[in-house]
RNA sequence: GGUCGGUUCGUCUAGGGGUUAGGACGUAUCCCUUUCACGGAUAAAACACGGGUUCGAUUCCCGUACCGACUACCA
């Protein structure tokens, strides 16, 4: 029997999850499902200073909105529980000590001032890399330089210490990345990273490797920012003696800002003119709200579809994929290597495609709800008629109300630019007559009959309809643009159309 | 600075030793439409540069340039 495929998404709750993180979660999810494996959520909250209240719930809510589900998580524990590293704290020290015992790690007592001084000294001496490594550690205060009994004494006295990994001086570290192929680095360029912090918490490097091992993770799909520390992770697997079960790595290209300067970050907020977060995030300190895609009107499936295509493609011309179809089509081989700039126009296009694929009934719900929020009651029938007429004109569900509220409530104003050009004697004549005809009309008032009545009216006045059409639109909608006017008439009904025409006749000033 | 990674239309990308370098978004024009949009059609638009290897390189190799990530007791 082959090994069960297990992937994890391991965010740290230091703020809202941004879209790059969401894409990472999505790719992990897609691959796990594609392989018939398991997908777990692990919260990496080892940095107590950066913990942000609400961030964990935010992660949960965001992924739930998108339909990215976990087989195991803090809220759905499996046999790898617990799923928060803070709750696993007790287990890390023994692994660090194991490494110390094997000679792959050591205690270090240097204070932050001393570390700072070391870096300054090295920088002044034009050392290329002021880091704690196989050379510089010989001049620092650690269990490699201090006498054994002094180390023991310091430990026993409760003096703060960290445990650092002892990077070998000369070793070629190789890593076969699923996206990038073989990557080789020399251990001399690596530094002795801290594994256990003085507060007793592990750093990412230790906790990540230990937990991935304990949780039997088979594939690690993460952002490219982790590539430089991947060799360290490979070394740690080796030091622990876990090479045989080391997961495969795939480092994803980064999501870049549209201007091409740097990776997209949480701090970009909505400065870029579009959200960087899946759902609204309220900063509890400042009270400010950072916009989310959900609140801007993006449909979860459309957003997911868009995100999936940022760095991946199925190899053919298809672009519209449901989550199920994405799982079916997904493969790591088809993930690109280059960073990806974010293009909001394409996101909007995806949203439009998804809206058009939705049923009139579903879309009418949005219009009814939005209208109600503005104190306007709309009948189901009318809402569906409006949606039917306008569904290929909107980008977001909220557009149904904002673009068509002129149908549902009193006109607020007339477009003066149109009025000053089109509201002439002829228009007034036709409209006056048409209002009268409408009063007497007793057939079925639909787009067809509305139009023939209007045509007949204009003809009776000896006026070409085309010449006054803009004025007709203006009188009833207040605007020069909009959906098919005769369909709008049909939705409005004879009485309302006649009323609006008379109101316009009373309000607008005739030119010439 | 160092280490690592990357580079096909403005953007997302397909392709890969011989192609009119394909698609999508966006842009422009035309058609449709008594408006706008939708839809349809068309157009402009790319292999970073320099060397090799080769009969032939956008594709393979090496340099250069540029972009990016990393370089914390953050993840």
């Amino acid at each position: 029997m082959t090994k069960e495929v297990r992937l994890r998404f391991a965010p740290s709750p230091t703020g809202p999850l941004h879209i790059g993180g969401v894409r990472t979660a999505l790719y992990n999810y897609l691959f796990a499902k594609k392989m018939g494996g398991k997908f777990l959520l692990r919260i990496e909250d080892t940095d107590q200073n950066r913990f942000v209240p609400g961030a964990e719930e935010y992660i949960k809510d965001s992924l739930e909105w998108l339909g990215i589900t976990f087989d195991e998580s803090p809220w759905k524990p499996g046999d790898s529980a617990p799923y928060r590293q803070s709750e696993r704290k007790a287990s890390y020290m023994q692994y660090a000590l194991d490494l110390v015992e094997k000679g792959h790690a050591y205690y270090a007592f240097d204070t932050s001032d001393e570390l700072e001084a070391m870096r300054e000294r090295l920088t002044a001496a034009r050392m290329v890399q002021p880091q704690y490594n196989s050379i510089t550690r010989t001049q620092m205060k650690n269990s490699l330089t201090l006498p054994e009994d002094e180390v023991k004494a310091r430990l026993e006295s409760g003096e703060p210490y960290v445990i650092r990994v002892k990077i070998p001086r000369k070793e070629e570290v190789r890593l076969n990345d699923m996206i990038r192929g073989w990557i080789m680095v020399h251990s001399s360029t690596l530094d002795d990273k801290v594994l256990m912090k003085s507060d007793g918490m592990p750093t990412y490097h230790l906790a990540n490797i230990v937990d991935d091992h304990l949780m039997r993770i088979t594939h690690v799909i993460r952002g490219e920012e982790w590539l430089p520390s991947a060799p360290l992770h490979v070394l740690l697997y080796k030091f622990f003696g876990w090479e045989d079960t080391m997961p495969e790595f795939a480092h994803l290209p980064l999501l870049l800002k549209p201007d091409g300067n740097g990776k997209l970050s949480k701090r970009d907020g909505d400065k870029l003119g579009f959200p960087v977060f899946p759902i609204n995030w309220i900063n509890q300190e400042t009270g400010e709200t950072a916009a989310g895609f959900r609140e801007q009107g993006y449909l979860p499936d459309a957003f997911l579809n868009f995100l999936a295509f940022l760095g991946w493609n199925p190899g053919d011309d298809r672009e519209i994929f449901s989550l199920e179809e994405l799982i079916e089509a997904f493969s790591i081989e088809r993930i690109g290597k280059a960073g990806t700039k974010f293009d909001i126009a394409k996101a909007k296009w995806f949203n439009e495609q998804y809206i058009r694929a939705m049923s009139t009934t579903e879309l009418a719900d949005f219009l009814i709800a939005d209208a109600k929020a503005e104190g306007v009651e709309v009948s189901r029938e009318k809402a569906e008629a409006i949606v039917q007429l306008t569904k290929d004109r909107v980008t977001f569900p909220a557009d149904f109300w904002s673009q068509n509220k002129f149908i549902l409530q009193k006109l607020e104003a007339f477009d003066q630019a149109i009025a000053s050009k089109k509201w002439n004697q002829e228009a007034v004549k036709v409209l006056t007559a048409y209002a009268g005809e409408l009063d007497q009309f007793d057939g079925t008032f639909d787009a067809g009959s509305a139009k023939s009545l209007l045509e007949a009216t204009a003809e009776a006045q000896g006026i070409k309809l085309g010449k006054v059409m803009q004025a007709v639109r203006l009188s009833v909608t207040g605007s020069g643009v909009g959906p098919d006017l005769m369909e709008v008439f049909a939705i409005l009904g004879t009485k309302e159309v006649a009323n609006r025409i008379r109101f316009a006749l009373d309000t607008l000033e005739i030119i010439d």
Side-chain angles (χ1 to χ4, degrees):
Chain A
M1 176 187 150
T2 52
K3 200 166 61 170
E4 179 186 53
V5 168
R6 288 166 70 82
L7 285 91
R8 64 5 180 228
F9 177 55
S12 57
T14 56
L17 190 61
H18 90 320
I19 47 182
V22 176
R23 190 195 57 170
T24 301
L26 173 62
Y27 284 8
N28 272 283
Y29 172 83
L30 294 177
F31 187 71
K33 294 298 147 188
K34 169 89 182 182
M35 303 299 285
K38 293 282 193 293
F39 185 40
L40 22 173
L41 175 65
R42 184 175 71 223
I43 302 292
E44 308 221 325
D45 53 352
T46 52
D47 186 353
Q48 290 150 338
N49 302 319
R50 293 210 306 158
F51 179 79
V52 174
E56 198 181 284
E57 277 300 311
Y58 180 93
I59 291 166
K60 182 173 187 268
D61 293 346
S62 297
L63 298 175
E64 242 164 46
W65 172 58
L66 292 165
I68 296 175
T69 57
F70 294 94
D71 299 296
E72 300 173 28
S73 74
W75 305 280
K76 192 184 172 192
D79 63 3
S80 297
Y83 294 85
R84 286 185 193 90
Q85 290 184 327
S86 58
E87 293 168 13
R88 303 169 69 83
K89 182 179 176 183
S91 64
Y92 300 112
M93 184 54 99
Q94 63 181 100
Y95 289 96
L97 292 178
D98 177 43
L99 252 28
V100 172
E101 220 164 277
K102 288 174 173 162
H104 293 306
Y106 58 92
Y107 299 100
F109 303 97
D110 316 276
T111 63
S112 48
D113 285 348
E114 287 166 337
L115 289 172
E116 186 60 31
M118 179 266 279
R119 285 185 193 113
E120 271 174 31
R121 208 165 56 237
L122 293 177
T123 309
R126 302 199 179 237
M127 272 296 271
V128 275
Q129 240 147 323
Q131 57 181 21
Y132 209 117
N133 59 22
S134 62
I135 315 272
T136 55
R137 69 178 167 232
T138 59
Q139 290 149 38
M140 304 301 286
K141 284 195 285 183
N142 54 54
S143 59
L144 264 20
T145 59
L146 267 19
E148 202 174 316
D149 50 345
E150 187 184 337
V151 171
K152 209 173 163 193
R154 283 178 184 253
L155 254 23
E156 275 164 8
S157 74
E159 185 179 330
Y161 66 92
V162 298
I163 294 178
R164 287 181 180 270
V165 61
K166 187 181 170 192
I167 298 289
R169 192 185 285 255
K170 289 183 193 169
E171 190 171 326
E172 190 88 335
V173 187
R174 311 160 130 263
L175 162 73
N176 193 200
D177 186 89
M178 284 189 281
I179 294 172
R180 286 154 216 285
W182 283 104
I183 289 160
M184 270 165 281
V185 264
H186 196 88
S187 64
S188 61
T189 65
L190 267 26
D191 64 341
D192 290 356
K193 282 267 182 286
V194 169
L195 261 22
M196 286 298 289
K197 298 183 267 191
S198 56
D199 65 0
M201 276 294 215
T203 59
Y204 172 87
H205 306 294
L206 207 228
N208 192 264
I209 270 64
V210 168
D211 286 341
D212 280 348
H213 173 72
L214 262 19
M215 293 178 173
R216 308 187 306 283
I217 299 303
T218 55
H219 302 262
V220 169
I221 302 176
R222 75 222 304 194
E224 193 187 329
E225 67 267 26
W226 291 109
L227 201 48
S229 50
L232 164 67
H233 301 157
V234 170
L235 238 25
L236 287 173
Y237 277 102
K238 191 181 145 197
F239 292 161
F240 279 120
W242 298 336
E243 301 104 307
D244 294 349
T245 54
M246 184 174 83
E248 290 202 63
F249 291 98
H251 290 92
L252 263 20
L254 264 14
L255 251 36
L256 272 18
K257 300 182 209 217
D259 59 16
N261 275 314
K263 68 169 176 173
L264 215 48
S265 78
K266 290 178 188 179
R267 298 214 306 235
D268 289 322
D270 9 26
K271 291 199 289 277
L272 267 16
F274 58 84
V276 297
F277 302 120
I279 64 181
N280 273 180
W281 166 258
I282 299 163
N283 184 321
Q284 296 190 1
E285 277 176 28
T286 64
E288 283 171 18
T289 299
F293 278 85
R294 182 226 260 160
E295 287 79 4
Q296 298 244 314
Y298 287 88
L299 270 9
D301 289 349
F303 179 61
L304 228 36
N305 197 156
F306 165 69
L307 225 42
F309 272 71
L310 252 28
W312 172 87
N313 74 83
D316 55 40
D317 287 346
R318 293 174 302 156
E319 290 198 282
I320 304 297
F321 283 74
S322 66
L323 228 204
E324 285 306 308
E325 290 166 333
L326 284 172
I327 291 169
E328 177 62 33
F330 192 74
S331 76
I332 290 181
E333 296 75 55
R334 294 210 64 87
I335 295 175
K337 294 182 174 73
T340 302
K341 281 180 200 142
F342 196 86
D343 180 20
I344 197 66
K346 188 88 186 207
K348 286 182 179 169
W349 178 80
F350 271 108
N351 216 45
E352 287 163 1
Q353 302 310 307
Y354 275 79
I355 283 184
R356 285 170 204 176
M358 282 174 77
S359 72
T360 302
T361 313
E362 275 178 293
L363 293 172
D365 291 339
F366 288 112
L367 176 55
I368 291 168
D370 291 344
K372 194 166 187 174
E374 297 284 330
V376 176
E377 287 294 330
V378 195
S379 70
R380 179 103 232 158
E381 193 191 358
K382 202 174 216 179
E384 290 191 1
I386 292 172
V387 164
Q388 190 68 43
L389 179 61
T390 60
K391 79 195 286 189
D392 60 2
R393 311 173 62 87
V394 303
T395 301
F396 302 115
D399 294 340
F400 283 116
W401 165 254
S402 64
Q403 289 181 12
N404 303 307
K405 60 185 176 186
F406 72 87
I407 297 175
L408 300 167
Q409 56 185 15
K410 280 190 83 162
L411 286 190
E412 285 161 1
F414 293 97
D415 184 330
Q416 285 305 320
I418 306 283
S420 62
K421 270 192 290 199
K422 305 287 185 182
W423 197 255
N424 54 28
Q425 217 52 260
E426 288 179 321
V428 168
K429 264 167 85 178
V430 172
L431 283 165
T432 306
Y434 190 54
E437 294 294 336
L438 287 172
D439 290 342
Q440 291 164 34
F441 187 85
D442 68 348
T444 305
F445 192 62
D446 56 20
S449 55
K451 188 177 181 184
S452 34
L453 184 60
L454 183 57
E455 281 168 341
T457 307
E459 200 180 341
Q461 302 289 328
I463 294 166
K464 275 221 159 54
L465 184 55
K467 291 186 70 178
V468 300
M469 206 55 197
Q470 278 291 87
V472 174
R473 173 178 289 279
L474 180 73
S475 70
V476 175
T477 70
S479 160
V481 298
D484 188 285
L485 227 212
M486 295 305 120
E487 294 287 357
V488 172
F489 276 22
I491 293 170
L492 253 17
T494 52
K495 211 172 151 198
E496 177 65 15
V497 173
N499 285 160
R500 289 188 181 203
I501 289 172
R502 292 205 168 94
F503 176 67
L505 254 14
D506 290 346
T507 311
L508 293 169
E509 284 185 26
I510 303 168
I511 57 169
D512 336 294

